[in-house]
Amino acid sequence: MPLDLPEDLERYIEEHVGPVSPLLEELERWTKEETGRPGMLTGRVEGALLRMLVRITGARRVVEIGCFTGYSALMMAEGLPEDGELVTCEILEEYASIAQGYFDRSPHGKKIRLVLAPALETLRGIAGESVDFVFIDADKELYPLYYEESVRILRSGGLIAADNVLWYGRVLSPQDEDSRAIVSFNRIVRQDGRVEKVMLPVRDGVYLIRKR
Ligand SMILES: C[S@@+](CC[C@H](N)C(=O)[O-])C[C@H]1O[C@@H](n2cnc3c(N)ncnc32)[C@H](O)[C@@H]1O
């Protein structure tokens, strides 16, 4: 769910990221119409930002926490070289099988390995300092734990992008568990001397965090 920008300005921004592939167009449309959870999808602007970050950092190994129907995974896979790998974590079979169906139809799908398991388990099985880029986009109350694991598996100079860090603006006055978890995560990152960071007001807020 994006922060509120006037609709025509939203559309203007979307038009200026350039076209996305017909398969991604289809996946976006299908997800919006069929899942009843359109707000979970990163969409074309944030997706294009992630693809750009993967490309300009020269990432070869990417981990995504929260696959859903596979939109952001496919976007990031487009930014990977042919021998790159993206591990995407999903806990629900229903979403995993939809995502896998789209990965199988994409020329970039062979770079993606979908792991159907709690993300924390998957992260704990990944060797330290072996990953170039992590995208955090799953259950908000676990963000602090995902963050610790992400810093552990990242190489020095590697990048984390954490989604929804403005949480519809609720970070200013947190009233529920998820809002408090995001506030606590943001504070941990802000105080962490192991990383440099910048918070971007893209969609629902993206925290970019570089391991020193
Ligand atoms: C916000 S959606 C991800 C959206 C996706 N990145 C995209 O752009 O389309 C979060 C996803 O994380 C999954 N999820 C929630 N808890 C999880 C967990 N503990 N381990 C793995 N996946 C989880 C949810 O089922 C959901 O599909």
Side-chain angles (χ1 to χ4, degrees):
M1 184 72 69
L3 285 172
D4 283 339
L5 274 184
E7 231 174 78
D8 47 355
L9 202 50
E10 271 307 342
R11 204 165 37 248
Y12 184 85
I13 294 170
E14 283 183 7
E15 281 165 11
H16 285 77
V17 299
V20 298
S21 70
L23 188 70
L24 278 168
E25 295 250 17
E26 180 191 319
L27 173 54
E28 181 176 9
R29 201 171 42 247
W30 188 91
T31 302
K32 286 181 172 163
E33 285 168 7
E34 303 294 333
T35 63
R37 310 294 303 269
M40 298 240 276
L41 193 89
T42 43
R44 62 181 63 200
V45 176
E46 188 177 355
L49 172 68
L50 293 168
R51 181 180 58 197
M52 172 90 74
L53 289 170
V54 167
R55 235 194 270 283
I56 64 182
T57 56
R60 309 185 80 77
R61 193 134 195 257
V62 174
V63 173
E64 174 178 67
I65 305 168
C67 175
F68 190 38
T69 55
Y71 190 91
S72 47
L74 271 176
M75 270 284 201
M76 290 189 281
E78 287 184 5
L80 278 172
E82 280 310 304
D83 62 347
E85 186 195 44
L86 183 148
V87 173
T88 182
C89 309
E90 179 51 57
I91 203 166
L92 294 182
E93 164 88 58
E94 179 195 347
Y95 294 148
S97 66
I98 293 159
Q100 191 60 57
Y102 279 92
F103 299 159
D104 292 343
R105 293 171 56 199
S106 164
H108 301 281
K110 63 180 187 309
K111 301 175 201 167
I112 303 175
R113 184 159 61 85
L114 198 162
V115 183
L116 181 61
L120 216 43
E121 257 176 38
T122 306
L123 290 170
R124 287 177 177 153
I126 296 174
E129 306 195 354
S130 64
V131 168
D132 305 301
F133 189 91
V134 182
F135 179 44
I136 303 179
D137 190 20
D139 35 354
K140 307 309 164 198
E141 76 276 15
L142 292 181
Y143 265 38
L145 292 177
Y146 291 150
Y147 176 64
E148 265 318 306
E149 284 302 318
S150 300
V151 173
R152 183 187 66 78
I153 65 177
L154 267 190
R155 66 167 168 81
S156 167
L159 197 66
I160 298 169
D163 200 16
N164 304 109
V165 293
L166 298 176
W167 205 229
Y168 323 105
R170 289 184 209 141
V171 286
L172 295 180
S173 175
Q175 304 290 335
D176 58 87
E177 293 258 305
D178 282 347
S179 308
R180 280 192 283 273
I182 292 285
V183 167
S184 149
F185 166 74
N186 288 341
R187 189 184 314 114
I188 290 167
V189 177
R190 188 177 106 193
Q191 294 172 345
D192 190 351
R194 296 172 299 176
V195 296
E196 45 181 300
K197 52 262 172 179
V198 58
M199 195 179 273
L200 305 177
V202 173
R203 209 177 69 100
D204 191 27
V206 178
Y207 217 163
L208 289 187
I209 306 155
R210 179 182 177 273
K211 182 173 171 182
R212 293 183 198 278

